[in-house]
């Protein structure tokens, strides 16, 4: 059997950061880094549309799930120290107008390369195409796949999202087999599905500055930003940020409804439409809302209100007060029944994971199995779009890699 001081399951963002941190702190340690895929860090290449939004300078004030647990790692390794970590390994970054941090090269390849090269050390052995399928705890060590003895283990195998890039849920099974509870997992940051006949005609329409409210059984969930209609539902960051909540409602046997306010900053649309009826008098009816909303969206709202006639013209006399109220309703409260999401296969993140109550937030060591640590998305912590999930993956990886032990 081969012996290692530390075995890390998963060479994604978090596992690579943990390996680099551990090798720096314990130069004498032999570290094994296992990944089931032929290449390490494959998912990093897909992040940020190939640009890798690696952190966000507003991460400390972000509303992460299980924020109070996550705070210890995030405070120890805030976005600035994640950026410093990358600078130390030769990667330079820039911050955009919304606090999102990208590599200066604007290429996710350089983020992965910097991690890969930093992990190419004599004391780190990478075992690619090595799926860890069992970990048996012994007196002072763990037997991995019946082949490797590791004194300590970091489980950094991610959740269930985007399995073609690695995290297929098998690391969650390993956590369970080691006695840990895993909370309900749902796909997060993924497009929403609605009835195709309700959205097909809107396919391709993008609307920004939109306020969304997902009406749940006990509480409503809100988001704001851009949406994009697809042939099966709604995509775009603002919609994707409601996906985990929608999944949880559906799993509780409640059918959530999405309410879209296309013009949240306007409270007197009725007066605006009354003005347009005069300012655009005698123009084609399809122009009624085109000064306020994307044209196709405006036409669809008129169709839904039952007032659209392709050869009609704008005429103040034609529109009754009631008709204008119905149009206003279509703009301020466009309703879509949400039937589901596009699932783990298309989701960026998994919400849910190893129960935080069984992990020490200061060290990320298991409170059940000494010598076992967790980092990254496998833990029940997730955030919104904008670099928040990689920030968690890197911060928790750097902390777990310290292998701090409260009993020492
Ligand atoms: C398309 C896409 C775009 C994204 N864009 C962004 C972005 O721009 N910014 C952002 O902050 N976040 C983004 N995310 C989310 C972010 O990528 C993840 O939250 C982050 O990668 C999680 O890191 P991790 O190391 O915990 O898990 P992963 O990156 O999932 O890595 C886990 C690794 O463990 C390996 N593994 C799993 N099980 C086993 C096993 N049993 N044995 C051996 N190896 C195993 C996997 O092969 C994988 O390499 C995006 C995600 C996707 C899918």
């Amino acid at each position: 059997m081969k012996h290692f001081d530390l075995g890390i399951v998963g060479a994604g963002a978090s596992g690579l950061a943990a390996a680099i941190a551990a090798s720096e702190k314990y130069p004498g340690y032999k570290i094994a880094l296992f990944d089931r895929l032929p290449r390490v860090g494959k998912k990093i290449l897909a992040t940020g549309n190939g640009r890798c939004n690696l952190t966000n300078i507003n991460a400390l004030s972000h509303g992460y799930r299980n924020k109070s647990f996550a705070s210890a790692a995030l405070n120890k390794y805030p976005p600035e120290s994640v950026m410093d970590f990358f600078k130390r390994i030769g990667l330079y970054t820039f911050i955009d107008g919304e606090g999102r941090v990208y590599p200066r090269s604007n290429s996710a390849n350089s983020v992965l390369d910097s991690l890969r090269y930093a992990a190419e050390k004599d004391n780190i052995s990478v075992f690619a195409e090595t799926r860890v399928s069992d970990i048996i705890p012994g007196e002072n060590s763990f037997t991995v796949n019946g082949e490797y003895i590791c004194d300590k283990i970091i489980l950094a195998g991610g959740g269930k999202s985007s399995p073609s890039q690695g995290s297929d849920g098998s690391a969650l099974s390993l956590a369970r087999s080691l006695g840990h509870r895993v909370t309900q997992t749902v796909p997060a940051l993924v497009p929403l599905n609605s009835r195709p006949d309700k959205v097909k005609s809107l396919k391709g329409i993008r609307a920004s500055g939109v306020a969304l409210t997902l009406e749940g059984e006990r509480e409503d969930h809100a988001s704001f930003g851009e949406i994009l209609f697809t042939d099966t539902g709604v995509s775009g960051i603002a919609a994707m940020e409601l996906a985990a909540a929608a999944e949880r409602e559906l799993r509780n046997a409640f059918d959530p409804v999405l309410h879209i306010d296309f013009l949240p900053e306007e409270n007197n649309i009725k007066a605006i439409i009354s003005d347009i009826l005069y300012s655009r008098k005698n123009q084609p009816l399809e122009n009624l809302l085109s000064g306020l909303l994307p044209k196709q969206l405006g036409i669809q709202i008129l169709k839904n209100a039952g007032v659209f006639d392709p050869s009609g013209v704008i005429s103040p006399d034609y529109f009754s007060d009631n008709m204008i109220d119905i149009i206003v309703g279509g703009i301020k409260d466009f309703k879509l029944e949400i039937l589901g999401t596009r699932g783990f296969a298309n989701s960026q993140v998994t919400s849910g994971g190893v129960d935080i109550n069984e992990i020490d937030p200061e060290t990320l060591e298991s409170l059940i199995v000494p010598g076992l640590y967790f980092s990254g998305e496998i833990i029940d912590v997730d955030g919104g779009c904008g670099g928040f999930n990689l920030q968690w993956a890197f911060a928790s990886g750097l902390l777990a890699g310290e292998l701090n032990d409260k009993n020492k």
Side-chain angles (χ1 to χ4, degrees):
M1 293 233 211
K2 297 179 195 117
H3 172 261
F4 291 93
D5 298 279
L6 169 65
I8 301 176
V9 181
S14 198
L16 284 163
I20 296 164
S23 79
E24 282 174 359
K25 185 169 174 187
Y26 306 100
Y29 269 26
K30 283 167 67 191
I31 299 167
L33 186 51
F34 302 102
D35 205 288
R36 70 186 197 92
L37 293 181
R39 283 196 64 179
V40 302
K42 187 176 175 203
K43 194 181 285 179
I44 293 171
L45 297 177
T47 59
N49 287 325
R51 293 170 61 212
C52 187
N53 176 192
L54 55 106
T55 179
N56 188 306
I57 53 159
N58 303 313
L60 295 188
S61 57
H62 182 66
Y64 283 95
R65 177 172 161 89
N66 290 321
K67 175 81 182 279
S68 56
F69 169 86
S71 290
L74 295 171
N75 283 318
K76 181 140 198 214
Y77 291 102
E80 294 74 15
S81 41
V82 167
M83 289 157 75
D84 279 349
F85 161 73
F86 276 103
K87 201 167 163 190
R88 263 196 299 122
I89 61 173
L91 184 94
Y92 290 78
T93 54
F94 73 94
I95 306 169
D96 79 0
E98 292 182 50
R100 293 179 290 227
V101 179
Y102 291 92
R104 187 62 191 84
S105 63
N106 256 320
S107 163
N109 269 305
S110 29
V111 178
L112 177 55
D113 281 351
S114 65
L115 291 165
R116 232 166 23 89
Y117 288 121
E120 265 180 21
K121 293 208 166 118
D122 290 345
N123 65 340
I124 301 180
S125 307
V126 175
F127 295 90
E129 288 188 291
T130 306
R131 182 196 185 92
V132 174
S133 51
D134 67 59
I135 301 178
I136 313 287
E139 191 99 323
N140 284 309
S141 62
F142 301 83
T143 306
V144 174
N145 286 359
E147 243 185 279
Y148 310 92
I149 301 280
C150 302
D151 295 346
K152 291 185 175 179
I153 290 282
I154 299 177
L155 275 188
K160 296 180 176 172
S161 296
S162 211
S164 60
Q165 283 148 338
S167 52
D168 60 350
S170 58
L172 290 167
S173 307
L174 289 172
R176 268 195 216 97
S177 75
L178 288 159
H180 274 267
R181 203 179 91 83
V182 173
T183 62
Q184 181 190 55
T185 50
V186 292
L189 302 187
V190 60
L192 304 173
N193 287 341
S194 180
R195 269 180 37 202
D197 58 309
K198 291 272 183 190
V199 285
K200 236 184 185 127
S201 55
L202 296 170
K203 183 183 169 186
I205 293 177
R206 204 176 276 278
S208 53
V210 165
L212 302 182
T213 307
L214 185 84
E215 191 187 330
E217 187 180 19
R218 291 203 198 106
E219 56 173 329
D220 293 345
H221 314 269
S223 72
F224 179 84
E226 186 173 271
I227 59 170
L228 170 69
F229 288 98
T230 66
D231 51 357
T232 53
V234 205
S235 181
I237 290 177
M240 293 187 359
E241 288 190 333
L242 293 175
E247 286 276 0
R248 288 199 170 95
E249 295 289 348
L250 286 159
R251 285 171 200 214
N252 278 341
F254 182 80
D255 296 331
V257 174
L258 183 67
H259 299 258
I260 307 174
D261 181 349
F262 289 107
L263 294 172
E265 72 285 6
E266 294 292 354
N267 287 319
N268 201 355
I269 308 261
K270 197 166 178 176
I272 294 176
I273 293 177
S274 302
D275 286 348
I276 295 172
L277 288 175
Y278 287 93
S279 61
R280 295 198 163 179
K281 194 175 167 186
N282 294 330
Q283 287 187 28
L285 190 52
E286 61 180 30
N287 286 357
L288 183 71
L289 301 176
S290 67
L292 283 173
L293 298 169
K295 189 165 183 173
Q296 276 313 109
L297 176 61
I299 293 173
Q300 191 58 37
I301 287 171
L302 296 180
K303 282 184 181 167
N304 291 352
V307 299
F308 188 67
D309 167 3
S311 56
V313 291
I314 299 173
S315 147
D317 302 333
Y318 174 71
F319 284 92
S320 67
D321 220 38
N322 186 40
M323 280 157 98
I324 298 178
D325 280 341
I326 296 174
I327 297 170
V328 171
I331 296 173
K332 295 292 286 178
D333 190 11
F334 189 99
K335 296 186 191 68
L336 280 180
E337 253 176 78
I338 299 304
L339 307 179
T341 70
R342 292 189 55 206
F344 284 113
N346 298 293
S347 73
Q348 292 194 6
V349 181
T350 298
S351 186
V354 178
D355 191 338
I356 51 143
N357 295 306
E358 297 173 349
I359 304 173
D360 179 346
E362 305 288 336
T363 60
L364 301 181
E365 187 176 14
S366 160
L367 296 172
I368 299 178
V369 186
L372 172 67
Y373 295 75
F374 297 93
S375 74
E377 203 177 304
I378 191 171
I379 302 175
D380 186 1
V381 170
D382 64 280
C385 284
F388 301 108
N389 289 299
L390 281 173
Q391 164 62 25
W392 167 246
F394 292 131
S396 58
L398 293 171
L399 177 59
E402 289 187 23
L403 300 174
N404 292 326
D405 179 346
K406 276 215 170 139
N407 298 320
K408 283 194 181 155

